[in-house]
Amino acid sequence: MSHDPFDHDLERGLRNRRNVLGDAWVDRSLSNATSFNADFQNLITRFAWNEIWGRPGLEHKTRRAIVLAITIALGRWEEFELHIRAALLGEEGSRLSPDEIKEILMQSAIYAGVPAANTAFTHTQQILREVGARIGYALDPAQPAAACHPGVGRSGRTESAPAIHYTVREPRSGKAPRHTVVLSHALGCDLSMWDELANTLAADCRVIAYDHRGHGGSASPEGLYSMADLADDAARLLRELDTGPVIWIGLSMGGMAGQELALRHPSLVRGLVLAHTTSRYPEPIRAVWDQRIATVREQGIEAIADAVMARYFHDGFRARHPATVARYRRRLVSTDPLGYVGCCNAVGTVDTADRLNGIAVPTLVVAGDLDQGTPLDMAQALAEGIPGARLTVLEGASHLGGIEQPEAFASGVMAFMAGL
């Protein structure tokens, strides 16, 4: 019979305790152990730090967040401060950024109460003043009236007409943006179709989303629009926001506007992602767009809504995600008919096919293998016409591939951006 004098549970607990709280704090705590509290030190090291923190089911970052939320709810401010310092100064991969801590405190305001969250903000700001220089974080003065929801962004409208509604998400990293990205939506949608991708990219990029004229919060001028009109709208927006060259991500109508923007205003574009779009429709399809305009004028958008949803989403997606499809249908039928008809004309008459070789920026073309609105052959023609363009095909995606296959779409976009 053997007896191992090495206490594995204690040592594992000490290892986790040091990884989470840091050597300095653990050494100080252990050096203060006495005959009175040594049993307690042994207990919490073996059970809290080994039995709980040693479980592989959750990452240490997640466990940190849980501890912070519970200590806020219970008002355990000494313990809260200990874990805030450890979270800010911890090892790479397990530490929490000030913005991540802020989100924990914001959520605690709802579930633990505003007074508790207010106290937590007070304690955290004091610690940030102490350690901010060590982690490269500064507490700068800010006006509450200027604050905006980071998942939505700061909202505005252009001063020039027709007014274009937009949102701007600044990088959550707090650093200078790696890129400025513009997201341009499909016909009958609005800037909210990009929320998931926008929030992903805003981790380190400045992200601008906007409503095309005739859509969402933008103006709906009289008449039929051209794709040049939509491109010039975008150029006005970018110049008012003083963006410099941007990475343009456009889907369907947004991709058409991106092509025209790169041709008419090349100094504003650094890279293009052209998704589920085309450079030209054949004459029979142009006639279909004319018929759609006539139908909407005579019967309203409701008359075409079901047919549009059938093209936007394939049968399987519509069956699995009826609430999502219903939301896009509501958005479609609430679009200003005047603006919708105007943009239908711009889409139906798009024609950049003979000018594609004039696009001189890196370009990614994205297609869906189930897309009936802009089939794969249109995407191939687009990729072949733009010098150096790459084509990627999303499996199981119809026309709104960024909604049906958001992870694959985002992965392709981020890989493209990483190469710029």
Side-chain angles (χ1 to χ4, degrees), residues 89-108:
L89 301 173
E91 295 293 324
E92 183 71 33
S94 74
R95 73 172 68 119
L96 295 172
S97 71
D99 276 351
E100 288 172 326
I101 291 173
K102 178 171 69 176
E103 292 307 315
I104 295 168
L105 271 54
M106 293 288 286
Q107 188 144 339
S108 296

Side-chain angles (χ1 to χ4, degrees), residues 82-262:
L82 166 66
H83 281 276
I84 283 288
R85 282 192 174 88
L88 290 168
L89 301 173
E91 295 293 324
E92 183 71 33
S94 74
R95 73 172 68 119
L96 295 172
S97 71
D99 276 351
E100 288 172 326
I101 291 173
K102 178 171 69 176
E103 292 307 315
I104 295 168
L105 271 54
M106 293 288 286
Q107 188 144 339
S108 296
I110 301 301
Y111 294 98
V114 170
N118 184 52
T119 303
F121 270 102
T122 298
H123 284 275
T124 304
Q125 287 207 113
Q126 182 57 46
I127 293 171
L128 283 169
R129 291 187 181 97
E130 296 172 11
V131 307
R134 295 167 61 183
I135 63 174
Y137 185 85
L139 284 171
D140 297 320
Q143 294 297 321
C148 65
H149 191 300
V152 176
R154 172 175 57 86
S155 181
R157 278 163 64 95
T158 59
E159 295 180 2
S160 56
I164 300 298
H165 171 246
Y166 64 87
T167 60
V168 181
R169 292 168 172 85
E170 299 296 343
R172 296 190 301 276
S173 64
K175 301 177 182 179
R178 184 166 61 95
H179 300 291
T180 296
V181 181
V182 178
L183 302 173
S184 185
H185 66 78
L187 179 67
C189 299
D190 64 18
L191 55 76
S192 69
M193 74 168 285
W194 293 115
D195 279 353
E196 186 171 346
L197 180 63
N199 290 331
T200 297
L201 298 179
D204 60 358
C205 292
R206 186 187 193 206
V207 180
I208 300 166
Y210 74 100
D211 292 329
H212 286 282
R213 61 165 66 191
H215 289 70
S218 293
S220 299
E222 295 277 351
L224 297 177
Y225 315 147
S226 68
M227 200 53 65
D229 292 330
L230 272 57
D232 289 348
D233 287 344
R236 286 189 296 109
L237 169 64
L238 299 186
R239 290 190 172 110
E240 284 195 22
L241 294 177
D242 194 22
T243 63
V246 303
I247 298 174
W248 182 275
I249 301 175
L251 191 150
S252 191
M253 180 170 69
M256 298 171 191
Q259 296 169 54
E260 195 68 54
L261 180 70

